[in-house]
Amino acid sequence: MQLSEQEKVRREKLSALRKAGINPYPADLFPVKDTSKGIKENFEEGKKVVLAGRLMSRRIQGKASFAEIQDSKGKIQVYFNRDEICLGEDKSKYNDVYKKLLDIGDFIGIEGELFKTQVGEMTVMVKDFTLLSKSIRPLPLPKTDKDGNTYDGFTDPEHRYRQRYADLAVNPKVKEIFVKRTKLFNAMRNFFNDREYFEVETPILQSIPGGAAARPFVTHHNALDIPLYLRIANELYLKRLIVGGFDGVYEFSKNFRNEGMDRTHNPEFTAMEIYVAYKDYNWMMEFTETLLEHCAIAVNNTTEAVFGENKIDFKAPYKRVTMTDSIKEFTGFDITGKSEAEIRKAAEDMGIEVDETMGKGKLIDEIFGEKCEGKYIQPTFITDYPKEMSPLCKEHRENPELTERFELMVCGKEIANAYSELNDPIDQRERFEEQLKLAKKGDDEATEFIDQDFLRALEYGMPPTSGLGIGMDRLIMFLTNNQSIQEVLFFPQMKPEKKAVDLSEDEKAVFQLLKDDVIQELETIKEKSGLSNKKWDKTLKSLRKHKMIDVFKDDETMKIKAS
């Protein structure tokens, strides 16, 4: 492993600490009694405190030093004075350990007394300190010049998501996002528990990936010698529990879908699903808007939230629009009573890309997604979906072509989906069989499996039930004004990290001539490099071996770009 100069110096300090008899990673409990926030909220001059945290800055001035400690609650100023720490003749703990062997990023424990500086800043006078963990890699801290301008901040998303631990340590606002995320989960959980709905757990490894239309991750169980699938949804298991006699069950579930990744999709995500017996989707609409108003206040102390250029208000009630009326409003086309061929023709006339694998439901979904979905900024319930789009949903009581379903749209995105659940086992079997036909036709969003055990459960009888699913990651994006799902996940899925490659000086020089994603003429780069033919060939061969460049022919000219 190639070490930077700072990393080498820190390892030398590590050795020096050990030689001095100081364990840089002690196992002993450190008796923390106070936090930075608690000290500031209950400040008392002369009060003795014990706290611990990461050393984030310091200004050494001879025998005295002001520093800053960061703990889980924030930062506080501390004051190191040689004669307060070293009461006898031996001043090495300050002169050698503190001044020479500690670094920014080290965890230390502090015992001291509170006082205020001449400018009134609450500060801890250090009476003793203990090294709790030595940092041998420098934190990527931003720098501030004499004019107060900040630069070299740890802002590159690729690095921040990959090294979330460093991101949290040096970017305090990032932690606020995850504090709010936990507040959201707690608020929702309390809302359900107060109504005596039960939180449950259902299998993540499933023999049949059901409850949604998505491509699953597949694994193999060696002892049983069968394929298993990571959960794409927990719906069918939760409804089994309603069959079993629970009046209301919910689960915060980790779901997995082996599909694309973008700013709003991660292959692993968190959904909340709740099912309540003896209810329908009209009741669930009122329940949902009350729930989200409650959650918005719990997270932000207001029903309002800013997302990009939009100010959203989660205060109930929300507007309700049928899917038929929505499509009619924004396209002028009425889907009522239309055949699959008529809907396909209408979609083509609207400039929407369609193909022969798409059934009636998929075609309607494409029209709505392309022409209507993005129009809804404020929370809006889109209701009464065509039957073909909702294989687990009860037929509409007034129109057999529709289902009793709604989705909640916010800022042009769906954040909640709910049904009056289908509890007719014969109808459910027919719907599953229709989905199989669509899958064979090539519809990649139609289910390829029939869960026979779920159908058996329905045959025992499931009471009228309404279910709701909410994408928790997307909801917290809206509540914290984050455009990317990666910002609200501690550890989002990332491409494999490229290993550092030791390059020769010639290789470094050539690579620096290449701009990211810019295609250039190979001969031009060769001329700029100033290398001889022999050195150029050797350099190019090595860079290609390390997969750092692409060389190809375009318009009879050889081109080069960084990989």
Side-chain angles (χ1 to χ4, degrees):
M1 181 174 64
Q2 192 170 9
L3 300 177
S4 68
E5 194 60 36
Q6 286 192 58
E7 288 171 320
K8 290 176 183 176
V9 169
R10 289 188 178 219
R11 280 167 168 73
E12 290 169 2
K13 292 181 180 182
L14 191 71
S15 298
L17 285 164
R18 287 185 167 130
K19 287 178 182 176
I22 298 171
N23 184 352
Y25 305 105
D28 318 46
L29 172 149
F30 186 80
V32 176
K33 297 178 182 176
D34 305 278
T35 66
S36 57
K37 183 180 179 183
I39 288 170
K40 291 174 181 177
E41 290 177 346
N42 303 286
F43 183 83
E44 186 181 325
E45 190 89 27
K47 180 182 177 182
K48 296 185 183 301
V49 295
V50 181
L51 70 157
R54 198 187 282 273
L55 186 63
M56 296 300 286
S57 67
R58 58 178 177 171
R59 306 182 301 280
I60 298 175
Q61 300 169 328
K63 67 176 186 177
S65 171
F66 279 101
E68 196 172 42
I69 294 294
Q70 177 174 287
D71 62 13
S72 64
K73 301 296 183 181
K75 294 180 181 179
I76 191 164
Q77 181 169 273
V78 294
Y79 177 66
F80 289 82
N81 183 290
R82 185 187 65 189
D83 298 329
E84 292 286 340
I85 295 168
C86 309
L87 299 178
E89 293 297 318
D90 184 2
K91 307 296 183 183
S92 61
K93 185 160 190 177
Y94 179 85
N95 289 339
D96 297 329
V97 178
Y98 174 72
K99 288 178 68 174
K100 297 177 181 177
L101 300 181
L102 291 193
D103 287 295
I104 302 302
D106 291 351
F107 279 92
I108 58 175
I110 288 174
E111 299 173 55
E113 294 179 0
L114 302 183
F115 76 101
K116 285 188 177 180
T117 63
Q118 291 181 345
V119 296
E121 184 165 357
M122 290 178 277
T123 308
V124 180
M125 167 76 76
V126 180
K127 297 295 184 179
D128 195 14
F129 70 91
T130 304
L131 175 61
L132 302 177
S133 181
K134 180 69 183 166
S135 169
I136 59 173
R137 181 186 290 268
L139 285 171
L141 285 165
K143 300 175 182 62
T144 305
D145 61 24
K146 61 182 180 180
D147 299 321
N149 299 313
T150 301
Y151 58 98
D152 285 350
F154 192 55
T155 57
D156 183 86
E158 170 81 12
H159 295 147
R160 289 180 48 242
Y161 304 154
R162 202 178 291 284
Q163 301 179 47
R164 184 66 86 186
Y165 37 85
D167 189 28
L168 291 164
V170 304
N171 292 321
K173 287 189 176 180
V174 172
K175 187 175 181 180
E176 292 175 18
I177 296 169
F178 294 99
V179 169
K180 288 187 173 184
R181 183 183 173 105
T182 296
K183 285 182 177 180
L184 171 62
F185 279 73
N186 289 342
M188 199 171 280
R189 183 174 275 116
N190 291 338
F191 188 89
F192 298 150
N193 291 346
D194 288 346
R195 287 154 180 79
E196 298 186 348
Y197 303 140
F198 286 91
E199 183 170 11
V200 298
E201 294 177 298
T202 62
I204 292 175
L205 282 175
Q206 301 181 353
S207 57
I208 292 178
R215 183 184 296 120
F217 286 92
V218 187
T219 186
H220 186 82
H221 192 291
N222 290 332
L224 296 176
D225 192 24
I226 58 171
L228 289 176
Y229 305 87
L230 288 181
R231 172 172 59 197
I232 58 174
N234 55 351
E235 176 172 346
L236 303 188
Y237 282 94
L238 292 175
K239 287 198 276 196
R240 284 171 168 92
L241 298 179
I242 298 295
V243 171
F246 285 95
D247 281 349
V249 292
Y250 72 93
E251 181 178 19
F252 293 98
S253 66
K254 282 288 185 185
N255 295 344
F256 307 84
R257 298 184 181 178
N258 195 1
E259 298 172 343
M261 292 168 51
D262 57 32
R263 294 175 67 83
T264 58
H265 295 89
N266 193 66
E268 175 183 349
F269 63 97
T270 304
M272 184 289 303
E273 293 203 25
I274 183 168
Y275 293 81
V276 186
Y278 312 111
K279 309 298 182 187
D280 66 3
Y281 81 136
N282 293 311
W283 177 90
M284 188 60 83
M285 268 187 267
E286 294 182 7
F287 181 84
T288 301
E289 60 195 8
T290 305
L291 167 66
L292 293 183
E293 179 179 324
H294 167 80
C295 289
I297 292 171
V299 171
N300 290 326
N301 299 316
T302 174
T303 61
E304 294 184 342
V306 174
F307 187 71
E309 299 177 354
N310 300 306
K311 181 180 281 188
I312 317 160
D313 194 345
F314 285 98
K315 185 173 180 57
Y318 304 157
K319 184 179 178 182
R320 290 153 168 75
V321 181
T322 68
M323 176 166 277
T324 299
D325 287 345
S326 177
I327 292 175
K328 193 186 298 182
E329 178 184 356
F330 293 110
T331 72
F333 179 67
D334 188 351
I335 62 173
T336 306
K338 297 296 191 298
S339 67
E340 180 180 314
E342 289 173 312
I343 295 171
R344 176 175 282 105
K345 175 68 165 55
E348 290 170 346
D349 291 344
M350 294 175 201
I352 297 171
E353 190 174 330
V354 298
D355 59 57
E356 292 303 314
T357 69
M358 294 180 180
K360 188 174 177 180
K362 178 73 171 176
L363 291 166
I364 293 170
D365 193 29
E366 287 293 311
I367 293 172
F368 178 77
E370 287 285 330
K371 301 297 182 180
C372 311
E373 190 173 76
K375 309 291 186 182
Y376 298 104
I377 304 303
Q378 295 304 319
T380 304
F381 291 119
I382 304 298
T383 70
D384 302 347
Y385 281 52
K387 199 171 185 177
E388 295 83 358
M389 295 176 65
S390 313
L392 295 165
C393 187
K394 189 183 283 289
E395 183 181 284
H396 198 284
R397 66 197 75 176
E398 296 174 2
N399 185 342
E401 290 189 355
L402 304 177
T403 56
E404 296 197 349
R405 173 186 179 184
F406 71 78
E407 288 186 317
L408 179 62
M409 300 293 166
V410 178
C411 287
K413 297 290 183 182
E414 173 244 322
I415 62 168
N417 187 20
Y419 307 155
S420 293
E421 299 295 336
L422 179 56
N423 60 345
D424 179 340
I426 295 173
D427 188 1
Q428 182 64 86
R429 183 178 294 278
E430 290 172 353
R431 303 269 198 100
F432 278 157
E433 288 170 351
E434 184 61 31
Q435 286 287 301
L436 281 182
K437 291 177 184 175
L438 290 172
K440 289 177 181 177
K441 189 178 176 182
D443 186 344
D444 59 2
E445 292 191 9
T447 180
E448 299 179 50
F449 301 89
I450 293 182
D451 191 333
Q452 299 292 349
D453 181 68
F454 173 66
L455 290 172
R456 178 169 56 192
L458 285 188
E459 288 169 358
Y460 281 109
M462 186 177 83
T465 299
S466 186
L468 166 73
I470 293 178
M472 298 300 291
D473 306 317
R474 190 170 289 181
L475 178 56
I476 198 61
M477 286 169 63
F478 288 125
L479 291 174
T480 58
N481 193 18
N482 279 294
Q483 309 291 317
S484 170
I485 194 172
Q486 285 87 359
E487 292 288 352
V488 300
L489 301 175
F490 271 128
F491 304 106
Q493 189 64 48
M494 304 290 290
K495 292 179 180 178
E497 189 171 7
K498 290 183 179 180
K499 294 181 179 179
V501 178
D502 290 332
L503 300 178
S504 68
E505 292 303 315
D506 289 343
E507 290 162 1
K508 288 178 184 176
V510 170
F511 194 70
Q512 286 174 357
L513 293 172
L514 303 175
K515 297 177 181 178
D516 287 344
D517 297 324
V518 175
I519 298 173
Q520 301 184 65
E521 290 192 5
L522 187 67
E523 195 61 34
T524 301
I525 299 301
K526 180 181 178 182
E527 289 176 10
K528 288 182 179 179
S529 73
L531 297 176
S532 66
N533 288 338
K534 187 175 181 180
K535 283 188 174 182
W536 169 256
D537 291 341
K538 181 181 178 182
T539 300
L540 216 60
K541 184 178 179 180
S542 179
L543 289 173
R544 293 179 79 170
K545 179 182 176 182
H546 293 310
K547 298 182 179 178
M548 297 183 67
I549 62 169
D550 292 323
V551 178
F552 54 95
K553 197 170 187 178
D554 183 34
D555 294 332
E556 303 303 317
T557 307
M558 294 302 295
K559 301 290 179 69
I560 184 172
K561 67 182 286 288
S563 296

